[in-house]
Amino acid sequence: PDRYSGPCVFRAKDNGSFAVSMRDQTPIYAEVAIISVFVTEPGKAEVRGLTTFGNNSRWGPAARSEEDKACWVGADFSVCAY
């Protein structure tokens, strides 16, 4: 599976929401340049990925990991920010 592990830019938003990207706006993986986690209520979020082509794709709902609070886990993805 596609996976990126390394330094990135973390942008904090309201209510615990955040976005991650590369400093130079190159893709984090595949064609995804920005991953946004929008907290909708405590422990639940909606995740989207913005592609280098400007497409904002809905990845779906995610729940905060019980094992690692820095991670949000969806049906077929996870986003962790350390």
Side-chain angles (χ1 to χ4, degrees), residues 1-81:
D2 290 322
R3 178 184 173 140
Y4 172 77
S5 179
C8 66
V9 176
F10 176 88
R11 291 181 179 87
K13 307 287 185 181
D14 293 339
N15 301 322
S17 298
F18 66 92
V20 292
S21 65
M22 301 299 285
R23 184 173 308 279
D24 62 1
Q25 296 300 309
T26 57
I28 293 172
Y29 78 92
E31 295 169 350
V32 178
I34 302 171
I35 299 171
S36 298
V37 177
F38 300 100
V39 177
T40 56
E41 62 183 84
K44 295 185 180 180
E46 194 64 36
V47 179
R48 293 181 175 266
L50 182 64
T51 70
T52 54
F53 301 109
N55 298 324
N56 195 2
S57 62
R58 182 178 181 271
W59 291 13
R64 195 164 198 177
S65 171
E66 290 295 323
E67 294 81 36
D68 187 345
K69 297 295 185 181
C71 296
W72 292 85
V73 181
D76 59 354
F77 66 86
S78 64
V79 179
C80 300

